[in-house]
Amino acid sequence: MRYLLSILLCLLLSAVPSLAEGPAEARELVETRIDAVMLLLQDESLDKAERDVQIIALVAPIFDYPTMAKLSLGKKHWPQLNPGEKASFSDLFIDRLQQSFLEKLDIYTDEKVLYGEPLIKGKKVHVPTTLVSKDSRIEMLYKMYRAAEGWKVYDVEISGVSVIQTYRSQFDGVLSNGSIDDLLEKLKTDGAFTITEPDEAGS
Amino acid sequence: MGRVPRNSIKSLLLLIALTAFLSGCGVHHSRNDEHVNDTVQQETLAPQPFEDEFDLEDEFEDAASADIIDPLSGYNRVMTKVNDKVYFWLLKPTASGYRAVAPEGARLAVGRFFRNLLMPVRFTNNLLQLKPKQASIELARFVFNSTVGILGFFDPAAKHCNLQPYPEDFGQTLGYYGVGSGFHIVLPLLGPSNLRDTIGLVPDHFLKPTSYVEDSEVRLALRVYKQVNQTSLHIGKYESMKKDAVDLYPFLRDSYEQRRNKQIEE
């Protein structure tokens, strides 16, 4: 009896840490990567283009870009694309996503990033962070799932607005009224999607 | 109305203030408590990889199925364009000029002053949403910042005690009690809103001290100044956000509704 109990106890003890590792590990991944990104962003001495390349390389391992590309079109549209279209869509979309993410981190943070306790959502983990600047705080939530190679981000929410959800509705809008070529055309426009007004390209 | 026993109101306020002060700087830690319940559900954590990426899709909705009632879409599109022009042609140049002459420290202080003035809106709506802890933090912030923080130009409550504001408005209060958003309306100058949140502006208006300034010109000037000051601190954000839009109006509409739903959930 005692023997059995000790085995049970041993099993339990060994099981607990591995279970607890999940969300903590996910948070740790986000924290180390984003902190490193913040250091690069605040480093004025770096050339912007070079800095961006470094940052993108830094966060790439924790983002599941191919999945994000698929999710942004969804079951409804993704399977309709031929392999060539899938490839060019993914390339353009991922590029857009990276640029946009970088810019958001840069614009909304001039002090620091705070990391909250990870939340378990079924099989997924949400890592809440707060981008602190001098007069505002923006909530940025990293939604992660366990891929074969470890925790990966499949969506980011900024102030409660899901990036993937927003792209989905928009891409669905384009594809309902046009073709994949129209969408690719829009994605190709450098820096921003083509909106009617030419006067506000911004910097 | 005048019959409400003064003493009981007084003692209630005193009690709230006392609670806030006694819990003092420790209050903010409770923010993290909300997460504890979720973290406890360890059993759900067996690492089971998803079979394919579309397993993740459940939480997203198809744009088509999430039909937003939008009877005003024609007007809304026009107003979105108008607001966009107002921003780029009027507000942004004014705010940029102001930013060039007024040092950032001063603009931040002005922003804090106006935020402090809006405390009655946040306080009341927190109370209405039965969030006494957040309401008392708002009250403590107000007392602390209006005195030590010199009329709210500084925010020692956030800086030294990490007491952050809890923005709540009447639109959120209505949402808290289950009122649906109604159709989307783009308001002139104010931007995206919906029926519920537009109605919510009325009670909030009466909770703003600035609404009681008698001279209507001064009132207007205050509003404009507040907006210019606010914009001067956030130049570039709207532009950056716009880059993600394929079509500006539905993009702003969906982002607004998503954000509001999230705020109401919290």
Side-chain angles (χ1 to χ4, degrees):
Chain A
M1 189 62 199
R2 195 172 259 193
Y3 179 65
L4 247 168
L5 209 75
S6 66
I7 288 182
L8 206 73
L9 202 74
C10 180
L11 271 174
L12 258 171
L13 283 176
S14 60
V16 167
S18 75
L19 283 177
E21 260 167 30
E25 196 187 313
R27 179 193 143 141
E28 173 100 14
L29 272 176
V30 171
E31 187 166 350
T32 40
R33 300 281 160 169
I34 300 302
D35 275 346
V37 170
M38 292 321 298
L39 277 178
L40 281 174
L41 279 175
Q42 281 155 5
D43 188 346
E44 306 274 324
S45 68
L46 283 169
D47 170 57
K48 193 178 177 300
E50 189 194 315
R51 186 195 72 178
D52 288 359
V53 171
Q54 286 189 32
I55 293 176
I56 287 169
L58 202 55
V59 291
I62 60 163
F63 278 78
D64 188 345
Y65 293 123
T67 296
M68 293 171 96
K70 283 179 201 165
L71 287 172
S72 74
L73 287 181
K75 264 185 208 139
K76 189 174 163 193
H77 298 296
W78 177 261
Q80 319 297 330
L81 271 54
N82 67 39
E85 289 165 344
K86 282 180 183 167
S88 33
F89 170 78
S90 297
D91 284 351
L92 290 167
F93 175 73
I94 290 167
D95 198 42
R96 215 30 238 112
L97 199 64
Q98 288 173 332
Q99 289 302 330
S100 168
F101 176 70
L102 244 181
E103 199 173 296
K104 299 282 179 303
L105 269 186
D106 198 8
I107 285 185
Y108 290 111
T109 319
D110 50 33
E111 286 187 355
K112 58 186 169 187
V113 180
L114 302 173
Y115 301 89
E117 285 303 311
L119 307 159
I120 295 158
K121 301 277 177 185
K123 290 184 192 174
K124 300 166 237 168
V125 167
H126 289 184
V127 180
T129 69
T130 309
L131 308 183
V132 183
S133 68
K134 285 172 197 134
D135 93 315
S136 60
R137 296 176 153 237
I138 300 284
E139 306 293 330
M140 203 179 222
L141 184 72
Y142 295 85
K143 298 161 132 182
M144 305 176 89
Y145 79 104
R146 171 88 83 175
E149 320 85 272
W151 292 98
K152 296 268 188 186
V153 175
Y154 66 93
D155 186 18
V156 175
E157 272 183 21
I158 305 170
S159 300
V161 181
S162 149
V163 169
I164 295 298
Q165 180 63 53
T166 310
Y167 282 125
R168 274 171 80 93
S169 333
Q170 298 203 82
F171 294 167
D172 186 56
V174 174
L175 292 173
S176 318
N177 305 313
S179 68
I180 180 70
D181 290 328
D182 297 327
L183 181 57
L184 293 178
E185 204 47 54
K186 279 182 187 289
L187 281 166
K188 264 179 208 151
T189 329
D190 191 42
F193 293 115
T194 9
I195 315 180
T196 37
E197 292 84 6
D199 53 313
E200 63 241 7
S203 53
Chain B
M1 285 296 267
R3 292 267 155 202
V4 182
R6 271 229 178 129
N7 279 339
S8 62
I9 293 182
K10 236 187 206 169
S11 51
L12 181 70
L13 280 178
L14 212 77
L15 193 74
I16 294 172
L18 207 66
T19 331
F21 271 111
L22 284 179
S23 41
C25 293
V27 173
H28 68 279
H29 293 302
S30 58
R31 261 193 154 180
N32 295 333
D33 293 350
E34 295 156 18
H35 302 310
V36 172
N37 288 336
D38 291 283
T39 341
V40 171
Q41 307 168 358
Q42 299 282 4
E43 72 275 9
T44 49
L45 244 159
Q48 298 165 329
F50 290 85
E51 307 228 316
D52 75 300
E53 294 81 2
F54 292 117
D55 286 353
L56 290 166
E57 190 161 345
D58 304 342
E59 68 180 83
F60 301 107
E61 35 190 57
D62 284 327
S65 67
D67 274 322
I68 298 175
I69 323 145
D70 198 355
L72 298 180
S73 66
Y75 154 83
N76 283 339
R77 272 185 183 279
V78 174
M79 196 44 82
T80 300
K81 214 167 243 174
V82 170
N83 285 340
D84 189 73
K85 293 289 178 229
V86 169
Y87 176 77
F88 282 105
W89 292 355
L90 213 64
L91 193 54
K92 190 181 173 185
T94 315
S96 306
Y98 170 67
R99 182 172 69 166
V101 293
E104 190 185 34
R107 288 181 289 123
L108 287 167
V110 169
R112 287 190 291 259
F113 170 76
F114 280 116
R115 187 182 306 167
N116 191 51
L117 274 189
L118 289 182
M119 172 272 184
V121 177
R122 296 187 296 267
F123 175 74
T124 311
N125 285 300
N126 271 309
L127 273 191
L128 290 174
Q129 290 173 45
L130 314 178
K131 294 172 178 165
K133 204 187 253 171
Q134 302 191 5
S136 51
I137 288 175
E138 278 294 341
L139 188 64
R141 275 179 53 80
F142 184 72
V143 174
F144 199 23
N145 287 346
S146 304
T147 52
V148 182
I150 314 169
L151 298 177
F153 281 109
F154 298 94
D155 192 351
K159 197 166 183 191
H160 301 298
C161 299
N162 196 17
L163 291 176
Q164 301 297 334
Y166 286 92
E168 296 286 351
D169 54 57
F170 202 76
Q172 289 180 55
T173 300
L174 290 174
Y176 176 85
Y177 288 102
V179 177
S181 60
F183 50 81
H184 192 79
I185 314 170
V186 179
L187 299 171
L189 304 178
L190 298 176
S193 187
N194 54 40
L195 187 59
R196 177 197 61 216
D197 296 341
T198 305
I199 292 171
L201 290 176
V202 179
D204 286 345
H205 172 81
F206 289 105
L207 290 167
K208 288 179 188 167
T210 42
S211 308
Y212 295 93
V213 174
E214 292 219 347
D215 190 333
S216 65
E217 277 172 29
V218 176
R219 208 163 55 224
L220 181 69
L222 274 174
R223 262 190 106 156
V224 171
Y225 179 52
K226 182 183 158 210
Q227 188 58 56
V228 169
N229 187 72
Q230 178 72 8
T231 307
S232 78
L233 293 166
H234 297 273
I235 288 176
K237 289 187 182 163
Y238 175 66
E239 293 86 331
S240 161
M241 191 173 82
K242 240 183 106 166
K243 285 190 193 167
D244 292 330
V246 177
D247 185 356
L248 190 57
Y249 166 61
F251 169 78
L252 291 178
R253 179 195 62 201
D254 295 349
S255 303
Y256 178 82
E257 298 294 343
Q258 257 196 70
R259 195 178 71 242
R260 292 295 287 177
N261 286 340
K262 195 78 175 198
Q263 286 173 343
I264 289 164
E265 251 175 56
E266 280 170 356

